[in-house]
Amino acid sequence: MTARILEGKVFAAQIKEEAARGVESIKKEFGITPSLAVIIVGENPASQVYVRNKHKTCEELGIRSEVVTMPENTTKEELIAEIDELNLDKSINGILVQLPLPAAIKAHEEEILNRIDPLKDVDGFHPYNVGKLVTGSPTLVPCTPAGCIKMLDFAGIEIDGKRAVIIGRSNIVGKPMLHLLMSRHATVTVCHSHTHNLAEVTREADILVAAMGKPKFVTADMVKPGSVIVDVGINRNAPKKLVGDVDFDNVKDIASAITPVPGGVGLLTVAMLMQNVVKAARLQLQ
Ligand code: GUN
């Protein structure tokens, strides 16, 4: 058997179409154009590519996009002052601080991100939004896991009642994914670097989400035949070469469906961000 390849661009197009409809209805109902401000501090080349991508996708969908570029030596206070200004600016609906932050202010990441108005927090990282997700009233949900769930829905892959296993417990992917899958009535196990007999656990999974950031870590012997594999890993093992957390070439012969890297989940993140901007605009207008 060879798996169905879940192409990111197909599902990203569907997510963006929904977002574009949301943009239109906000324009019609309220006479405003939803807008996103992205703050990038320093000159991390990967971050610059991601931010350009976000900007381009906004333009494609009729969302107003503002990129705030701040120098590498920006202080915590300067960054917080910028966030405060955007929080107060009624013409801005979404605020995103691109990560990683420069080494000098990285230690203050939590304080900085928590300064963003929860109603403008399109990354869904603020404790208010995390709490809403955990208590079952999700508002702004982290883009990557939310995009993965949308993809499974669009692909017609059932979640209800399934055994889902997540490898990785990050705040950005693993933890929100746990709550999203659980709220859709999957039975969910979260594995991490201290998990004993990992392969035994992952072989139970009908849906396996790899999000621990180790290149080609998930091998064929760790996968249940016929399962669905979602690879959230983005690892650079050579200057320009991206590989996922899954050994795609071998696992694809066992799984029933699998996301490739590149060209998989990565494309869903930006598409979902656009939906979060629309959602944030609505939250502020209601
Ligand atoms: N850098 C890599 N992924 C992300 C993300 O999801 N949000 C932000 N703000 N920065 C990132």
Side-chain angles (χ1 to χ4, degrees), residues 7 18 25-26 43 64 70 79-80 96 100 107-108 191 202 229 235 242 245 250 258 266-267 277:
E7 297 279 358
E18 281 186 352
S25 72
I26 284 179
E43 291 177 3
R64 197 165 63 77
M70 301 183 81
L79 179 49
I80 283 179
L96 182 148
H108 305 291
C191 302
T202 58
I229 313 295
N235 309 287
L242 285 184
D245 287 352
N250 294 308
I258 184 169
L267 301 170
V277 175

Side-chain angles (χ1 to χ4, degrees), residues 165-167 169 189-204 217 222:
V165 174
I166 301 162
I167 318 176
R169 52 179 161 178
T189 304
V190 180
C191 302
H192 44 76
S193 52
H194 291 228
T195 299
H196 293 175
N197 304 322
L198 178 67
E200 220 168 82
V201 184
T202 58
R203 274 198 298 269
E204 294 275 306
F217 181 86
M222 296 169 71

